[in-house]
């Protein structure tokens, strides 16, 4: 009796494993997900292609063609919008990528001008020398640091005095002297702006991956 029970258990387990393997290898209609026989057991070319009926194969083709067209239309619209952009528009796009990099780079740093580390508040990429005063340093990483938005960057117009005190501690007097010195005028071309945008989008994504790892 014991041997019979043991054999019965083995048979049940084997049947269960076979059922699991069958489900794992089960094919489904690419349109409605209904079950299909294995290719070797298919009775029609339609089933071999992964569909339960001609109607569903046709519907799948129509849906795929529509999706491809919508994708192509979105790409065309994006291309047209890019062509209509001014150099200023491209500069704003590049600034977004650069600012994102600064926020990711300084994610564990306090506000450069008041040392706050409060959670749940907005932080900007704050320029020591503003874009208006010194556009040549707009994309200079030494010139831009994480800064709380409402208190320092907006309400205190950058909080420049406190910014400078902490900036010297962070990057050194020599680097601050460089920022405060004269700089050659720089007017980026659209191609240069697009390349900078590509570079900084890549840099912040790589930094985020390193921080998560």
């Amino acid at each position: 009796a014991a041997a019979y029970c043991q054999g019965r258990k083995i048979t049940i387990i084997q049947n269960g494993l076979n059922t699991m393997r069958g489900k794992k290898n089960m094919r489904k209609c690419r349109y409605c997900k209904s079950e299909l026989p294995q290719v070797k057991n298919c009775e029609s070319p339609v089933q071999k292609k992964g569909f339960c009926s001609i109607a569903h194969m046709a519907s799948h083709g129509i849906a795929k063609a529509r999706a491809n067209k919508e994708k192509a239309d979105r790409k065309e619209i994006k291309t047209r919008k890019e062509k209509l952009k001014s150099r200023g528009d491209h500069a704003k796009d590049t600034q977004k990528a650069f600012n994102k990099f600064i926020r990711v780079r300084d994610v564990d740093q306090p506000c450069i001008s008041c040392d706050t580390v409060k959670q749940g508040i907005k932080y900007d990429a704050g320029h020591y020398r503003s874009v208006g005063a010194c556009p040549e340093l707009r994309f200079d990483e030494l010139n831009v640091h994480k800064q709380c938005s409402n208190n320092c960057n907006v309400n205190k117009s950058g909080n420049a005095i406190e910014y400078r005190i902490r900036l010297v501690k962070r990057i050194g007097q020599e680097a601050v002297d460089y920022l405060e010195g004269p700089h050659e005028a720089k007017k980026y071309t659209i191609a240069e702006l697009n390349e900078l945008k590509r570079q900084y989008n890549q840099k912040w994504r790589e930094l985020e991956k390193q921080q998560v790892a």
Side-chain angles (χ1 to χ4, degrees), residues 129 134 136-137 140 177-186:
R129 298 195 67 185
C134 191
E136 300 83 13
L137 298 179
D140 191 310
D177 289 342
Y178 153 74
L179 294 176
E180 294 176 339
H183 297 276
E184 185 179 349
K186 176 66 175 176

Side-chain angles (χ1 to χ4, degrees), residues 176-208:
V176 173
D177 289 342
Y178 153 74
L179 294 176
E180 294 176 339
H183 297 276
E184 185 179 349
K186 176 66 175 176
K187 187 173 183 179
Y188 294 96
T189 65
I190 290 177
E192 288 173 332
L193 289 168
N194 285 336
E195 177 58 20
L196 275 175
K197 180 176 70 173
R198 184 197 66 78
Q199 290 177 10
Y200 278 107
N201 278 330
Q202 181 179 346
K203 289 177 75 170
W204 71 254
R205 289 187 180 107
E206 289 176 352
L207 268 181
E208 278 196 341

Side-chain angles (χ1 to χ4, degrees), residues 110-116 148 151-152 156 159 162-163 166:
C111 169
I112 187 65
S113 48
C114 74
D115 289 331
T116 185
C148 66
N151 183 49
C152 289
K156 295 183 179 179
N159 201 1
E162 296 297 325
Y163 195 133
R166 290 164 179 79

Side-chain angles (χ1 to χ4, degrees), residues 41-59:
N41 298 324
C42 287
E43 299 177 354
S44 71
V46 172
Q47 288 183 340
K48 288 182 179 180
K49 290 182 178 181
F51 299 97
C52 63
S53 66
I54 293 176
H56 282 188
M57 183 170 69
S59 296

Side-chain angles (χ1 to χ4, degrees), residues 37-103:
Q38 295 301 308
V39 175
K40 62 182 180 180
N41 298 324
C42 287
E43 299 177 354
S44 71
V46 172
Q47 288 183 340
K48 288 182 179 180
K49 290 182 178 181
F51 299 97
C52 63
S53 66
I54 293 176
H56 282 188
M57 183 170 69
S59 296
H60 176 80
I62 292 170
K64 187 175 181 181
R66 185 184 297 116
N68 288 339
K69 185 179 184 305
E70 290 174 353
K71 183 179 179 180
D73 288 345
R74 288 194 298 270
K75 185 176 180 180
E76 184 179 354
I77 291 171
K78 183 178 179 180
T79 301
R80 288 179 179 177
K81 285 183 177 180
E82 285 294 317
K83 289 181 179 179
L84 292 174
K85 282 183 178 179
S86 66
R87 195 180 67 85
D89 293 329
H90 284 283
K92 289 178 182 177
D93 290 343
T94 304
Q95 191 73 65
K96 288 179 182 178
F98 177 80
N99 290 356
K100 174 71 174 181
F101 163 74
I102 296 297
R103 290 194 298 271

